[in-house]
Amino acid sequence: MIELEGVPELIDPVMVAAFEGWNDAGDAASGAVAHLDREWKGEVFAALDAEDYYDFQVNRPTVWLDNGVRKITWPTTRLSVVRIGGAKPRDLVLVRGIEPSMRWRSFCNEILGFAHELGVEMVVILGALLGDTPHTRPVPVSGVTSDADLARTMDLEETKYEGPTGIVGILQEACTHAGVPAVSLWAAVPHYVSQPPNPKATLALLNRLEDLIDIRIPLGELPEDARAWQLGVDQLAAEDSEVAEYVQTLEEARDTADLPEASGDAIAREFERYLRRRDPAAGPETATETGSYFRDLSGGRPQPKPKPEDAADQDGPPRPDGTAEGAGEDDGEGEGGGDTPGS
């Protein structure tokens, strides 16, 4: 039994989770939870035992100095609480960590134990995948669930995916089997410029989360960071005719596919978000420079080049559940990696 001491009774709590690694292209998902924790000054109340879930040769601990004293930070998953006041108070339980290396079933059961003790009403898991999407257009964010009723009432897609999955898919299925409403939000990151950070994708996930759980999230400098990121990619694309041609091809395909989406409902959602964000007292935001570079092109099409630490985890751009096209066996199988359907 998990006993939580010092954690106040929460108001309509929602758990929001993200995990670094396979399901976190451009660090967009983990960046979104980090933003929530930073803006609302989250208070950590629990951390999972790193020995139980991580291979330290894959996710190495780090050594640092604190006033001359050497300390070690172990890779793990931490839980924090943020209290949201206002006319409609609602609290969030933030789960942020690294995709575990092993014992995925026990990992999910421990997360669900906290959710049960805190009275969590819904779990929202954030993810990001590599996709054929142009950086010049709004970031596509899809919402999926395994719950048919939830899909209908919240205008989500009921997942039909079959194949390899990551911890996002495993945790969503664990929630479903435990009777906890669960939703996964996936942002698509351009695979030709996929290195972190990607503030534009992080911003898109936060906007979608706002709509889903009906809260207003303080965005701080994130909108300016997103604009600076896109400007940087625009400038690099202008210097490479092959990239510029490829981006134009993606734009044409995206615009054609999005024509039916220019509906009254879509326009109404954007207008509602604008009204929700109107704040005459808010001061100007400060732009932050962000670096960016392109992946190599081969045969007229960018080819993914995973970071060294990810090379064994992903054989190609993930599918909409965060799994890679042509991917082999998941490296995080542990006790529950491959026998549970993905999201």
Side-chain angles (χ1 to χ4, degrees), residues 129 131-142 186-192 198-208 211 226-227 229-230 234 247 250-259 261-262 266-267 269-270 273:
L129 52 86
D132 292 325
T133 181
H135 72 278
T136 54
R137 297 295 186 265
V139 176
V141 177
S142 58
W186 290 96
V189 171
H191 62 79
Y192 58 90
N198 189 320
K200 187 173 181 178
T202 294
L203 179 60
L205 281 170
L206 292 175
N207 284 335
R208 187 70 174 86
D211 296 338
R227 283 189 284 270
W229 176 87
Q230 181 168 325
D234 286 343
V247 171
L250 292 179
E251 290 173 340
E252 293 171 354
R254 173 70 182 276
D255 293 345
T256 300
D258 281 355
L259 281 176
E261 298 299 325
I267 295 172
R269 283 195 299 269
E270 289 302 315
R273 181 177 294 122

Side-chain angles (χ1 to χ4, degrees), residues 188-241:
V189 171
H191 62 79
Y192 58 90
V193 57
S194 61
Q195 77 292 335
N198 189 320
K200 187 173 181 178
T202 294
L203 179 60
L205 281 170
L206 292 175
N207 284 335
R208 187 70 174 86
L209 180 64
E210 273 193 333
D211 296 338
L212 184 71
I213 62 177
D214 192 26
I215 61 172
R216 178 181 174 182
I217 298 172
L219 298 179
E221 297 181 354
L222 194 55
E224 279 301 326
D225 289 349
R227 283 189 284 270
W229 176 87
Q230 181 168 325
L231 179 59
V233 180
D234 286 343
Q235 292 172 342
L236 289 175
E239 297 170 1
D240 189 319
S241 59

Side-chain angles (χ1 to χ4, degrees), residues 13-29:
V14 173
M15 178 176 281
V16 182
F19 303 95
E20 300 173 19
W22 204 48
N23 300 143
D24 192 26
D27 289 356

Side-chain angles (χ1 to χ4, degrees), residues 122 143-160 172 181-183 208 212 265 269:
M122 181 170 66
V144 297
T145 180
S146 300
D147 188 320
D149 293 333
L150 200 62
R152 183 172 54 256
T153 58
M154 304 193 73
D155 192 24
L156 300 167
E157 177 184 349
E158 185 179 359
T159 180
K160 302 296 183 183
Q172 177 167 320
V183 175
R208 187 70 174 86
L212 184 71
D265 289 343
R269 283 195 299 269

